[in-house]
Amino acid sequence: MKVMKFGGTSVGSVESILTVKRIVESAQEPAIVVVSALGGITDQLLRTGAMAAAGDQGFRESFAAIARRHAGTVEGLLPEGRNRASLLNSLNQLLNELQDIFNGVYLIKDLSTKTSNTIVSYGERLSSLIVSHVIEGAACYDARLFIKTELKHAKNIVDTDLTARLVRETFRELPKAAIVPGFISSDKNTGEVTNLGRGGSDHTAAIIAAALDASILEIWTDVDGFMTADPKVISSAYTIKELSYVEAMELCNFGAKVVYPPTIYPVFHKNIPIRIKNTFRPEVEGTYISSHKSEGSKAIKGISSINDMSLITVQGLGMVGVIGVNYRIFKALAKNGISVFLVSQASSENSTSIGVRTVDAALSCEVLNEEFAKEIETGEITRITAESGLATVAIVGENMKHTPGIAGKLFGTLGKNGINVIACAQGASETNISFVVEAASLRKSLNVIHDSFFLSEYQVLNLFVCGIGTVGGSLLAQIHMQQQKLMQENGLKLNVVGIADAKKALFAREGLNLATYRDDLKEQGVKSSPDVLRDEIMRMNIFNSVFVDCTASAEIAGLYKDLLSHNVSVVAANKIAASSRYADYH
Ligand code: ADP
Ligand code: ASP
Ligand code: MG
């Protein structure tokens, strides 16, 4: 048997649920099918609960929209008749309960964790009910009866042994397709409804696969597989064919949201392979994750990142050579349930930097200042503060171990693009190099690293064209004509991300439309000036960018120095800089 998990977008609409039906019904072996809530519903349930608790009447309409979305989906899936009526009836029972809970929250103006967990559980309860009525020979199960959690460090942790036993008992006999709501669970002592955390349906599926020794765990989602980077940030990212468990774990632990991090361990433990598939393009092979290390392939398999992190540095000359400082740092943080995802300490031992999520930063400083109060008072250690607004990027690959020069290339690439590295860490396992940059440089960092480490199908060049007279206008017309040919024949994507004349300026990270730019500039452009141009180009902070000066303006030529020092290349048809005073030229 196999376990298949379908995410929110895969069960988000009538068409996609019909696709899921086709995929499940054509499976060659019995399947346990784990489903998420309809796409967006988990967020909407949380929002509606928050509105009700805040006394905002809008919660009623928000609830009504949730109810309409589910009823509409059923109506689109099943023709009028007994089946549809019976499903709508069961659906309405759940929705009525949910409405009562929202009303209760509104009246009492209180939203405890227990209530919030109850509210959010309806997403998966509703979706699994719907899917089980659509798939031939399917039976619906209640995951709260066999996925059991216990409270540890203020977090609901799965009781693995108990859960495995209950899963085995529940699925001693299998229907053709067993539909299971993902994400939801219950406390093993109190029976209260809990959940496995956002994105937790993947984890539900992995737990079941491991308990039943499934042949494979299939994660069906809305992308072609595990990609070299988040495709929403890197347009040239592509699908990775094969990953080892370690690589997959490193990548998803670091923000590649395609798989929820705790998912890998249970199946890794049982050596059950994972395949990531695209529900909307089932013919695509996807990504295969197993214990197999792909020898001889690229050193770097993927890049991932975490935004919104803070760096906390414990430093002071009083730390040098003192035993137990790090022990105290980690003990204090662990006692307060704070997870640390990056550590960097220089061999001089006079500072230790740790990366935490920004939501944990204030508490981290508080507990560390308390822990080291005595040393701070005597000046041995500096008062501990957090530097926020940062992001961490990780490059991952098991073959880095055998390839010298990766770190050199990485930091060289960042340096050449004017990106400052604030902290970095590489473990001796050499499967991951992580570094911290300003959050504003994250997108650029990901792009330049992707560009230098991966042979993408194409490379991107981002142009700012200033001046649209005879020279600039012809240049833009030529680029427009050649864009497609350059992409197809030379793998070069020429992206014009900014156009300006003396009056107006227009910018767009994803590229401007060269067929309509004159009208767009008039209608949507902002007032143009050399300062506006410089500030906006720097604010956009785009990788591989070139400023093309097609003006005859001394003021525009005066921008080159700033642009060059910010790693923006300059191409000038404007002769002024090169033919005026030698000092300007220099
Ligand atoms: P589901 O609802 O199916 O669980 P998610 O939204 O949780 O789907 O995860 C899929 C999304 O993960 C993709 O749409 C993509 O934007 C994002 N993502 C981030 N990093 C990666 C990556 N390296 N490879 C593929 N997808 C990624
Ligand atoms: N529905 C839950 C969420 O949105 C769980 C999941 O989809 O994996 O986080
Ligand atoms: Mg997910």
Side-chain angles (χ1 to χ4, degrees):
M1 59 74 72
K2 65 175 174 180
V3 177
M4 309 167 91
K5 179 262 171 176
F6 291 89
T9 19
S10 303
V11 294
S13 69
V14 172
E15 294 73 44
S16 60
I17 295 178
L18 290 174
T19 311
V20 170
K21 172 180 163 69
R22 273 196 300 280
I23 294 170
V24 173
E25 287 175 2
S26 63
Q28 303 294 321
E29 52 189 320
I32 295 190
V33 179
V34 176
V35 293
S36 290
L38 309 200
I41 287 292
T42 306
D43 285 326
Q44 209 174 344
L45 286 165
L46 290 169
R47 265 198 313 273
T48 311
M51 283 164 100
D56 177 350
Q57 288 273 3
F59 88 91
R60 292 186 210 284
E61 174 43 35
S62 188
F63 165 77
I66 295 174
R68 276 199 303 275
R69 166 116 183 254
H70 286 90
T73 305
V74 169
E75 281 154 13
L77 283 168
L78 297 176
E80 234 182 300
R82 252 198 324 168
N83 269 347
R84 188 208 269 186
S86 121
L87 173 54
L88 282 175
N89 194 21
S90 317
L91 207 68
N92 281 334
Q93 276 177 24
L94 288 177
L95 287 167
N96 286 341
E97 283 172 28
L98 178 61
Q99 187 173 26
D100 287 346
I101 298 172
F102 282 135
N103 280 329
V105 170
Y106 177 73
L107 291 173
I108 308 174
K109 311 271 180 297
D110 180 55
L111 186 62
S112 65
T113 308
K114 180 172 158 182
T115 311
S116 177
N117 285 344
T118 307
I119 290 173
V120 87
S121 73
Y122 280 85
E124 268 72 9
R125 291 172 66 192
L126 289 162
S127 66
S128 55
L129 185 67
I130 296 176
V131 172
S132 67
H133 273 73
V134 177
I135 291 173
E136 200 99 4
C140 195
Y141 291 74
D142 184 348
R144 291 171 301 173
L145 301 178
F146 50 81
I147 308 285
K148 292 289 179 183
T149 61
E150 58 188 323
L151 204 59
K152 269 192 193 160
H153 295 303
K155 291 201 170 86
N156 292 310
I157 308 291
V158 176
D159 181 331
T160 323
D161 292 340
L162 174 61
T163 299
R165 186 164 56 73
L166 293 172
V167 168
R168 270 186 239 115
E169 276 168 24
T170 310
F171 297 103
R172 206 168 284 144
E173 271 167 48
L174 276 181
K176 195 158 172 300
I179 313 298
V180 175
F183 177 59
I184 63 175
S185 48
S186 69
D187 186 280
K188 72 168 187 184
N189 298 312
T190 63
E192 280 167 16
V193 51
T194 55
N195 62 59
L196 307 184
R198 294 308 304 272
S201 295
D202 299 343
H203 193 195
T204 308
I207 293 168
I208 297 177
L212 299 178
D213 287 311
S215 59
I216 191 163
L217 166 62
E218 293 178 354
I219 307 267
W220 291 80
T221 181
D222 60 357
V223 281
D224 282 349
F226 223 118
M227 304 182 81
T228 46
D230 186 347
K232 288 189 182 122
V233 181
I234 311 289
S235 57
S236 55
Y238 56 88
T239 310
I240 309 167
K241 277 205 160 64
E242 259 188 78
L243 282 173
S244 68
Y245 289 118
V246 174
E247 290 168 334
M249 196 127 50
E250 295 267 18
L251 282 170
C252 64
N253 209 12
F254 235 78
K257 148 176 190 254
V258 64
V259 178
Y260 182 54
T263 306
I264 313 282
Y265 189 72
V267 285
F268 155 73
H269 198 60
K270 286 287 188 83
N271 205 8
I272 298 168
I274 307 176
R275 190 174 281 286
I276 320 274
K277 295 275 289 178
N278 189 343
T279 303
F280 305 95
R281 304 206 317 147
E283 69 284 0
V284 175
E285 214 181 319
T287 302
Y288 190 71
I289 303 170
S290 68
S291 54
H292 178 245
K293 248 193 291 174
S294 37
E295 299 295 340
S297 69
K298 284 206 183 72
I300 306 289
K301 281 297 192 62
I303 316 169
S304 57
S305 61
I306 292 181
N307 213 338
D308 217 10
M309 57 88 58
S310 296
L311 204 61
I312 292 169
T313 302
V314 182
Q315 62 185 326
L317 290 178
M319 284 166 66
V320 178
V322 176
I323 289 172
V325 175
N326 285 334
Y327 167 70
R328 286 169 62 195
I329 295 176
F330 293 115
K331 192 182 65 176
L333 295 172
K335 257 201 339 227
N336 289 279
I338 296 164
S339 160
V340 173
F341 58 78
L342 176 130
V343 184
S344 166
Q345 186 199 315
S347 56
S348 70
E349 295 184 45
N350 88 346
S351 78
T352 298
S353 293
I354 52 174
V356 297
R357 291 197 182 266
T358 297
V359 287
D360 292 331
L363 179 63
S364 306
C365 290
E366 196 185 313
V367 302
L368 291 174
N369 279 316
E370 213 168 277
E371 173 69 36
F372 293 103
K374 238 179 51 217
E375 288 85 349
I376 292 171
E377 206 188 313
T378 57
E380 284 164 62
I381 285 180
T382 318
R383 199 173 165 73
I384 297 148
T385 54
E387 192 180 348
S388 42
L390 305 177
T392 302
V393 179
I395 61 173
V396 169
E398 286 213 79
N399 287 339
M400 285 204 289
K401 232 175 283 187
H402 318 295
T403 321
I406 301 277
K409 182 168 170 188
L410 171 69
F411 294 119
T413 305
L414 292 168
K416 263 191 285 187
N417 281 278
I419 297 163
N420 183 36
V421 174
I422 298 168
C424 65
Q426 179 196 305
S429 73
E430 291 185 57
T431 51
N432 174 325
I433 304 178
S434 307
F435 60 92
V436 179
V437 294
E438 299 264 354
S441 299
L442 174 60
R443 177 181 283 268
K444 187 173 179 182
S445 309
L446 292 172
N447 272 295
V448 296
I449 299 170
H450 198 271
D451 227 43
S452 72
F453 280 104
F454 295 99
L455 219 55
S456 308
E457 275 168 31
Y458 58 87
Q459 284 208 302
V460 186
L461 196 63
N462 295 298
L463 304 183
F464 292 93
V465 178
C466 188
I468 54 170
T470 312
V471 177
S474 309
L475 174 67
L476 288 169
Q478 287 179 2
I479 293 175
H480 183 42
M481 262 167 34
Q482 299 275 325
Q483 247 167 350
Q484 213 179 351
K485 188 175 147 95
L486 287 170
M487 176 76 162
Q488 277 162 0
E489 293 178 14
N490 301 65
L492 175 64
K493 182 172 173 191
L494 274 189
N495 218 8
V496 178
V497 292
I499 298 181
D501 63 8
K503 292 200 193 90
K504 292 280 181 102
L506 192 59
F507 303 92
R509 183 178 285 282
E510 62 288 356
L512 293 163
N513 182 349
L514 297 187
T516 59
Y517 77 88
R518 282 186 194 271
D519 290 340
D520 297 344
L521 196 58
K522 264 193 223 123
E523 284 157 25
Q524 302 151 30
V526 295
K527 201 172 161 335
S528 178
S529 74
D531 286 346
V532 166
L533 291 181
R534 181 190 39 227
D535 294 349
E536 188 57 22
I537 292 171
M538 282 168 199
R539 197 193 59 76
M540 284 169 79
N541 196 16
I542 302 190
F543 76 112
N544 284 0
S545 54
V546 182
F547 180 76
V548 186
D549 181 4
C550 302
T551 71
S553 152
E555 266 187 309
I556 298 293
L559 292 178
Y560 300 170
K561 190 177 169 194
D562 270 355
L563 293 170
L564 290 168
S565 67
H566 282 83
N567 300 79
V568 177
S569 303
V570 175
V571 172
N574 182 350
K575 300 182 197 67
I576 292 179
S579 60
S580 57
R581 292 186 314 144
Y582 182 72
D584 295 339
Y585 167 77
H586 188 70

